[in-house]
Amino acid sequence: MLIKKFFFVWILLFLFSCKLDLQPKPEGYLRLIYKKPNYKLIKIGSKFSFEQNTLAQLKISKNKSSKLTYPDMKATLYMNYNSVSKNIDSLLNDAYQLPFKHISKAESIPEKIFINNEKKVYGTLFSVVGDAASQFQFFLTDSVNHFLVGSVYFYARPNYDSLFPAIKFLEKDLVHLIETFEWK
């Protein structure tokens, strides 16, 4: 009799313990893996030079602006050159205000300062953390003759978490560009 009760309880547990609760699976995100960067020296007219990642394509326009396009990442680095002639305060003010236009979407905007006394290159790289339109803003100057301002834009909906691998890759490229930058 005990064996029949045990068997009956076991069958009841077996029948009622298994449920077919289907759970929707979350959407998967594309895994972004990039090649190790190779750099080549680029000279922009008689103004300046820097080392550029070979994955990027440089386009120079006639109005003192140029852009580095990263087709695999759907990102572009826009750079605008200005001559300094007693307007360094205005140029610096504009360069510092530009990243803070993204403050409504930014969680933080840390800045990294670059000083190269040997090459007379001084500047700041702003990283916009959050779902902002532009993830990076920077400026470079020699404080006397030259001023360059740059911004990085992705051609995708701003989603910091999804773009994070591309953002970190481009950050390394920007730091390399700034560290190899020279005025002519």
Side-chain angles (χ1 to χ4, degrees):
M1 187 79 167
L2 186 59
I3 293 176
K4 280 186 178 180
K5 286 183 183 180
F6 177 72
F7 185 70
F8 182 70
V9 170
W10 186 79
I11 287 178
L12 285 175
L13 285 173
F14 179 74
L15 289 175
F16 292 106
S17 66
C18 297
K19 292 183 182 178
L20 256 176
D21 268 346
L22 296 176
Q23 296 283 329
K25 294 184 180 183
E27 289 184 30
Y29 290 102
L30 179 64
R31 183 174 179 186
L32 302 172
I33 300 173
Y34 302 107
K35 296 177 187 176
K36 184 178 178 185
N38 293 316
Y39 297 98
K40 64 180 178 180
L41 183 66
I42 299 294
K43 296 179 182 179
I44 308 293
S46 61
K47 303 289 187 218
F48 55 88
S49 67
F50 57 87
E51 288 187 8
Q52 162 201 321
N53 189 334
T54 56
L55 296 175
Q57 300 167 353
L58 179 67
K59 295 178 185 173
I60 302 170
S61 62
K62 295 177 183 177
N63 62 352
K64 299 182 182 179
S65 67
S66 53
K67 62 183 179 178
L68 276 175
T69 306
Y70 292 80
D72 293 343
M73 290 183 223
K74 295 184 179 175
T76 302
L77 165 62
Y78 294 93
M79 296 180 286
N80 292 309
Y81 173 83
N82 291 298
S83 297
V84 174
S85 59
K86 298 183 182 181
N87 60 345
I88 189 72
D89 290 338
S90 172
L91 292 169
L92 285 170
N93 188 37
D94 290 346
Y96 271 98
Q97 285 183 3
L98 191 58
F100 292 99
K101 290 182 178 182
H102 302 283
I103 197 75
S104 64
K105 296 287 185 178
E107 294 172 19
S108 67
I109 305 177
E111 54 187 69
K112 188 174 188 177
I113 297 172
F114 292 88
I115 298 172
N116 187 333
N117 289 324
E118 182 181 313
K119 296 178 183 178
K120 298 199 183 308
V121 176
Y122 313 100
T124 303
L125 173 65
F126 301 94
S127 302
V128 181
V129 178
D131 295 338
S134 176
Q135 298 300 322
F136 297 103
Q137 310 272 327
F138 72 93
F139 71 87
L140 299 171
T141 185
D142 67 351
S143 301
V144 179
N145 298 311
H146 308 287
F147 196 89
L148 181 78
V149 65
S151 302
V152 173
Y153 289 90
F154 286 93
Y155 296 100
R157 174 175 279 155
N159 185 339
Y160 188 77
D161 293 338
S162 297
L163 293 172
F164 189 75
I167 290 168
K168 286 300 173 189
F169 183 87
L170 279 178
E171 182 177 28
K172 290 176 187 173
D173 260 15
L174 282 174
V175 168
H176 186 84
L177 182 149
I178 292 169
E179 289 175 345
T180 61
F181 194 91
E182 288 188 49
W183 300 110
K184 297 293 174 188

